[in-house]
Amino acid sequence: MGILNTLLSAVTWWNGSTLNTRIFTARKGIKVGEDDQGNVFYRNADDSKRWVMFNGEVEASRVSPDWHGWLHRTFDDLPSEKPLNHKPWEKPHQENLTGTMMAYAPAGSIRAGGEPKERRDYEAWVPE
């Protein structure tokens, strides 16, 4: 299974970086930092390109707001050198949980568990 995973990761982006991305990173990439999840951030020599090499699953929501701002040129200072001033009420960054058991389930949802609540403010439409 190891050889198959290696071949898949060489040609598909959802199994990690492609072979071309690895070669480009090795030749032109300048490592600028790493986040707490192990994702590594790069730029080229003239700073015209910025990219991330994910540690594990390739999921854009795994990039923290600090690094997202740097990648999209919202600000030029590296988050490792000048972190954002976070408000005390802000929650820590959390990746997209859609499709997982940790996803939000509103009250009354089938996934919320328990018995569905009876609604008195809704009357089902019945065709004549």
Side-chain angles (χ1 to χ4, degrees), residues 19-46:
L19 182 60
N20 287 339
T21 303
R22 289 183 199 163
I23 292 170
F24 181 82
T25 301
R27 291 185 66 227
K28 306 276 187 177
I30 299 170
K31 182 179 175 180
V32 295
E34 190 172 328
D35 66 5
D36 57 344
Q37 294 187 23
N39 300 326
V40 184
F41 297 86
Y42 294 92
R43 68 174 180 82
N44 63 350
D46 64 352

Side-chain angles (χ1 to χ4, degrees), residues 117-124:
K117 295 181 181 177
E118 183 180 328
R119 294 189 57 178
R120 297 169 197 258
D121 62 337
Y122 175 79
E123 185 179 324

